[in-house]
Amino acid sequence: MRIKLTWLVLLTWLVLVSGTMLSIAPSHAQTYDPRYPVCIQVNEWGGTHIDCRFTSMPQCQASASGLGFCFANPYLRREPTRPQSRVYRQG
């Protein structure tokens, strides 16, 4: 009976440790910052993450340099444009 209890405890411990190890993984919040027009998707061991903090495509491409690729921010917040008023000169 003692041998079965030891194996049961060992098996339980093994399952708990395995579950804990499998659930631990680095994570990055994938944020599409609406203030910046260009994002980078970085490919890393264990997955990818997206970082939107670039003001231009050349700036992003200089930072990417083989780590990932740059793309236009799909959630860019554009300021509403007001129609330009026309100024007429009377001459």
Side-chain angles (χ1 to χ4, degrees), residues 72-90:
N73 186 349
Y75 297 100
L76 177 63
R77 183 184 325 137
R78 300 193 197 299
E79 298 298 322
T81 58
R82 292 179 28 202
Q84 299 271 337
S85 63
R86 295 185 180 179
V87 177
Y88 294 100
R89 283 197 220 183
Q90 294 183 0

Side-chain angles (χ1 to χ4, degrees), residues 15 23 26 30 34 37 39 41 43 53 55 57-59 61 68 70-71 77 80 84 86:
V15 167
S23 67
Q30 292 192 2
C39 302
Q41 181 172 343
N43 302 315
R53 61 178 173 169
T55 56
M57 194 61 77
Q59 179 190 23
Q61 289 170 342
C70 300
F71 61 95
R77 183 184 325 137
Q84 299 271 337
R86 295 185 180 179

Side-chain angles (χ1 to χ4, degrees), residues 27-81:
S27 63
H28 298 279
Q30 292 192 2
T31 57
Y32 291 96
D33 192 338
R35 297 174 294 169
Y36 296 100
V38 181
C39 302
I40 184 172
Q41 181 172 343
V42 179
N43 302 315
E44 297 177 324
W45 182 82
T48 62
H49 76 274
I50 295 172
D51 185 13
C52 297
R53 61 178 173 169
F54 300 100
T55 56
S56 68
M57 194 61 77
Q59 179 190 23
C60 179
Q61 289 170 342
S63 296
S65 66
L67 299 175
F69 65 93
C70 300
F71 61 95
N73 186 349
Y75 297 100
L76 177 63
R77 183 184 325 137
R78 300 193 197 299
E79 298 298 322
T81 58

